[in-house]
């Protein structure tokens, strides 16, 4: 169950939300948290948020845009989230603040659960990426869908100026905590073109931090095709294009990374 609210805490958090869609989905849930939250919407379009500060910025990539939000924020803590995430429970942000301080982490992030209408593949992957559990523990990953930092940490150690995967770069060599009780509803529909682009772009960033390519050659691509067919047999022919899009995205990233 999501954390219930408690007496309002004097802790002050700035929620930094990049958007090009208008009003972020989770604004009401953020305003109802049991900590004081300023909402800073980083708009690359017609932001419709009411009662919150809107900072209009050209889109220059996830890293530089979020860091601009850090500089403009006023809270002691920064909550990075996205415009299509819906926090659950009045105490979920407080749970992350408590875990950040109790665990001595550099940053913490919460759990993502799929919408009831999400497909099986998305639900399974979110379960693996952000599993259920109690308390908090250290992990070797970070996800800016719902993540909390001390503001001073990000001023001293800013996000890299990369177009995507800034959380992947920033977490290198740092103590990251995972807080499964801090939950948001968040999932994207699986569409081949979007999956190809996102997989390609994220794997390029993985290669930049030293991760080995998963599909480095044409031979590796061919050898991986039977693995694509297994989930298709279990989940239906509609998944075939998605699986191929991700596979070719990994292969393209390896080719681009080699120059």
């Amino acid at each position: 169950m999501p954390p219930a609210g408690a007496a309002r805490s004097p802790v002050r958090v700035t929620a930094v939300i990049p958007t090009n869609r208008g009003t972020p989905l989770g604004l009401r849930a953020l305003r109802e948290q049991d900590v004081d939250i300023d909402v800073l919407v980083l708009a690359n379009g017609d932001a419709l948020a009411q009662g919150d500060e809107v900072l209009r910025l050209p889109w220059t990539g996830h890293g530089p845009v979020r860091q601009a939000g850090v500089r403009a924020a006023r809270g002691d803590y920064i909550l990075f989230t996205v415009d299509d995430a819906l926090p659950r429970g009045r105490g979920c942000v407080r749970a992350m603040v408590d875990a950040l301080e109790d665990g001595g982490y550099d940053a913490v992030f919460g759990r993502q659960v799929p919408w009831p209408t999400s497909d099986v593949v998305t639900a399974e992957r979110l379960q693996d990426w952000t599993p259920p559990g109690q308390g908090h523990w250290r992990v070797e990953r970070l996800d800016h869908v719902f993540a909390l930092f001390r503001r001073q940490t990000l001023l001293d150690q800013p996000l890299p100026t990369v177009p995507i995967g800034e959380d992947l770069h920033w977490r290198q060599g740092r103590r990251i905590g995972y807080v499964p009780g801090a939950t948001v509803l968040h999932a994207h529909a699986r569409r081949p073109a979007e999956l190809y682009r996102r997989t390609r772009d994220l794997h390029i960033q993985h290669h930049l931090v030293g991760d080995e390519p998963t599909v480095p050659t044409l031979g590796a691509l061919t050898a991986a095709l039977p693995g694509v067919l297994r989930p298709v047999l279990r989940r239906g022919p509609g998944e075939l294009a998605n699986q191929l899009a991700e596979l070719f995205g990994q292969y393209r990233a390896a080719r681009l990374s080699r120059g």
Side-chain angles (χ1 to χ4, degrees), residues 36-59:
D36 288 330
I37 295 187
D38 305 317
V39 175
L40 177 59
V41 177
L42 308 179
N44 182 33
D46 296 326
L48 305 177
Q50 300 295 317
D52 299 297
E53 185 176 353
V54 177
L55 180 62
R56 299 194 181 277
L57 296 170
W59 183 254

Side-chain angles (χ1 to χ4, degrees), residues 16-256:
V16 174
I17 312 175
T19 185
N20 62 0
R21 305 168 190 251
T23 302
L25 182 64
L27 287 184
R28 180 176 176 181
L30 288 171
R31 293 184 186 121
E32 292 176 349
Q33 292 295 302
D34 61 8
V35 297
D36 288 330
I37 295 187
D38 305 317
V39 175
L40 177 59
V41 177
L42 308 179
N44 182 33
D46 296 326
L48 305 177
Q50 300 295 317
D52 299 297
E53 185 176 353
V54 177
L55 180 62
R56 299 194 181 277
L57 296 170
W59 183 254
T60 54
H62 288 273
V65 166
R66 283 193 168 94
Q67 191 63 34
V70 173
R71 292 192 296 269
R74 296 185 296 272
D76 298 319
Y77 297 90
I78 298 293
L79 173 67
F80 285 145
T81 186
V82 292
D83 63 2
D84 57 350
L86 178 62
R88 299 184 65 212
R90 291 187 59 243
C92 67
V93 175
R94 173 177 44 80
M96 288 206 289
V97 172
D98 291 345
L100 183 72
E101 299 302 345
D102 292 345
Y105 301 117
D106 297 309
V108 295
F109 69 102
R111 184 182 177 206
Q112 298 174 55
V113 296
W115 294 95
T117 54
S118 295
D119 61 86
V120 173
V121 176
T122 297
E124 289 177 351
R125 291 188 177 182
L126 285 179
Q127 177 86 353
D128 291 340
W129 180 248
T130 58
Q134 301 292 325
H136 55 83
W137 59 88
R138 187 173 179 181
V139 293
E140 298 299 324
R141 59 188 184 278
L142 176 61
D143 195 321
H144 281 172
V145 165
F146 202 55
L148 188 91
F149 303 72
R150 300 173 194 87
R151 179 170 180 260
Q152 192 60 50
T153 297
L154 288 170
L155 292 175
D156 294 339
Q157 304 167 52
L159 299 175
T161 55
V162 293
I164 194 171
E166 77 290 349
D167 40 10
L168 166 69
H169 285 269
W170 194 89
R171 63 96 170 160
Q172 302 294 319
R174 295 188 169 94
R175 286 180 54 85
I176 308 299
Y178 172 57
V179 190
T183 302
V184 292
L185 284 165
H186 177 260
H188 292 156
R190 288 170 60 75
R191 299 184 179 94
E194 294 173 11
L195 285 170
Y196 170 78
R197 288 192 296 270
R198 183 171 177 80
T199 301
R200 177 198 63 199
D201 295 346
L202 280 174
H203 275 258
I204 288 172
Q205 300 305 318
H206 274 282
H207 303 159
L208 290 174
V209 300
D211 295 339
E212 290 294 325
T214 52
V215 186
T217 64
L218 189 58
L221 176 67
T222 303
L225 287 174
V228 165
L229 296 177
R230 283 192 290 270
V232 172
L233 292 174
R234 289 200 300 120
R235 296 164 186 147
E239 179 61 17
L240 178 60
N242 294 331
Q243 294 286 329
L244 290 174
E246 291 178 326
L247 186 62
F248 277 91
Q250 295 172 52
Y251 173 67
R252 183 59 177 161
R255 292 289 304 272
L256 291 172

